[in-house]
Amino acid sequence: MRERRDRSATPAAAAQVRRELLLPDISGTTSTLQGTGVLWDSVMPPHLSRYHLHRATQRTLAQVLSLAAHTVLVMMGYNHATMTMIAGVLTIPLVQPASGIDAAVWVIECGGFGLLADLDHPKASVARMWGPVTEALAHIVTAVSRGHRWGTHDLLLAPPLAYMLFTYAARSYPTRLFALALAIGLALRAVTMLGGTYMGAGVNAGVSWVGAWWMLEHVASADTHLPFAAALGIISHILGDSITKRKVPVPIVWIWTKERFGLPLLTTNSRMERNVIAPALTSILLVSTWYILDPQTRRDVIEVFPILRHDWISTI
């Protein structure tokens, strides 16, 4: 038993686990997640795992390391959502929403679907959004797309397939409700990613489904633009992943060759992404949203937030 634990904590085994579960190597430790727990012998380096600490202490330290890994891991998801929300804001003139509420729903749908492509891995953060429901969905997507960052990240195949799938979903009320709830749930997941906070699967599902029902009842275009939002979210996600070191699959050709392409400018969850890219994207989203507002809406916002009464803001 002792020898088996030492072998499970070897660097080679730990690296294989990280590759399978998409976990980063943080401060020389490795994280093997099993359900909601973390195995002490795999979390700590071999020279520390020999010490027989109290099991409660082991669990506490393992949970701290797991939280640190999760906080680092989820930042890229927030950037995906923000990028697609920016695209949603900039395409509002093309969508021509009937009201401000319609425009807000369009942007929310875009932001949520910016994470849609990552439903191709059952252990991904978005796959745990509604617990067993989204995990089962992720298993199906994984099987169809042949693994993480393959089929759902094909720039030529994935967007039109997403468009057709959500066009079909818009035909009946139950599937419309599910599609819209999925978009809202993914958007909520992105918001919690921003602060490294946690929203339980039940809470996320409740807010998502109630919000989807309300939108379908009170917003005329809530389901009209679902196919466009899904396709735009997939495209934005793939473009974002194409500048990371893991790249994206060569469209269609990957089916036979497993080749990837891209401009490896960023390391996922690097300091550059967390400290520069994320704040920059947030700023662009806020500025572009302010720019797209009509003058009357801007005045209404300024009345609510008097701090915006500055000359340089008024000129944007």
Side-chain angles (χ1 to χ4, degrees):
M1 179 65 70
R2 178 73 218 169
E3 183 180 355
R4 184 179 65 183
R5 285 202 302 270
D6 286 342
R7 283 202 306 267
S8 68
T10 59
Q16 177 63 27
V17 169
R18 285 198 305 275
R19 284 193 296 270
E20 292 176 356
L21 302 188
L22 311 179
L23 294 172
D25 187 1
I26 51 174
S27 303
T29 65
T30 61
S31 302
T32 304
L33 301 185
Q34 295 191 347
T36 58
V38 184
L39 290 181
W40 166 263
D41 297 315
S42 296
V43 171
M44 300 305 293
H47 70 281
L48 292 180
S49 62
R50 297 192 185 99
Y51 294 97
H52 299 281
L53 298 183
H54 191 274
R55 298 305 297 181
T57 304
Q58 296 177 10
R59 286 194 298 270
T60 301
L61 291 174
Q63 289 169 0
V64 170
L65 290 172
S66 174
L67 178 61
H70 172 75
T71 302
V72 172
L73 186 64
V74 299
M75 180 57 73
M76 189 65 188
Y78 168 74
N79 287 341
H80 278 310
T82 309
M83 283 179 59
T84 315
M85 290 179 75
I86 293 172
V89 170
L90 296 178
T91 53
I92 284 177
L94 299 177
V95 176
Q96 295 183 344
S99 66
I101 296 295
D102 291 83
V105 170
W106 161 252
V107 174
I108 291 172
E109 290 174 354
C110 290
F113 285 139
L115 300 178
L116 187 63
D118 276 344
L119 276 175
D120 62 353
H121 197 290
K123 298 296 184 181
S125 176
V126 295
R128 299 192 299 273
M129 179 178 72
W130 293 342
V133 175
T134 44
E135 287 176 4
L137 178 61
H139 277 289
I140 296 173
V141 175
T142 301
V144 174
S145 63
R146 300 189 181 183
H148 182 56
R149 279 205 187 190
W150 290 112
T152 61
H153 290 64
D154 187 313
L155 190 58
L156 295 183
L157 291 179
L161 286 176
Y163 180 89
M164 289 187 291
L165 179 63
F166 282 91
T167 298
Y168 179 80
R171 292 182 176 180
S172 66
Y173 186 84
T175 51
R176 283 200 302 269
L177 184 65
F178 177 82
L180 188 53
L182 181 64
I184 297 173
L186 291 171
L188 288 173
R189 194 71 172 178
V191 171
T192 57
M193 287 175 179
L194 173 61
T197 56
Y198 175 75
M199 176 181 288
V203 176
N204 186 299
V207 174
S208 301
W209 285 85
V210 172
W213 169 82
W214 185 90
M215 288 180 182
L216 288 177
E217 293 296 323
H218 297 90
V219 183
S221 64
D223 58 333
T224 305
H225 303 304
L226 278 173
F228 300 99
L232 182 61
I234 293 288
I235 293 172
S236 174
H237 188 107
I238 295 173
L239 293 178
D241 278 349
S242 68
I243 62 173
T244 64
K245 290 187 177 180
R246 292 193 64 187
K247 305 179 182 179
V248 294
V250 177
I252 302 177
V253 176
W254 67 269
I255 299 175
W256 299 278
T257 64
K258 293 291 185 180
E259 292 186 7
R260 296 180 179 271
F261 81 105
L263 296 174
L265 303 177
L266 290 175
T267 299
T268 303
N269 303 311
S270 63
R271 289 184 179 180
M272 171 66 73
E273 185 184 11
R274 297 194 305 271
N275 301 331
V276 178
I277 303 298
L281 288 175
T282 303
S283 301
I284 294 172
L285 175 61
L286 294 175
V287 171
S288 59
T289 301
W290 180 260
Y291 178 79
I292 209 72
L293 295 177
D294 61 85
Q296 180 58 49
T297 304
R298 291 188 189 181
R299 287 192 289 270
D300 294 340
V301 172
I302 291 175
E303 288 297 326
V304 178
F305 301 101
I307 194 173
L308 297 177
R309 296 179 185 274
H310 288 284
D311 293 338
W312 68 271
I313 294 181
S314 300
T315 60
I316 295 178

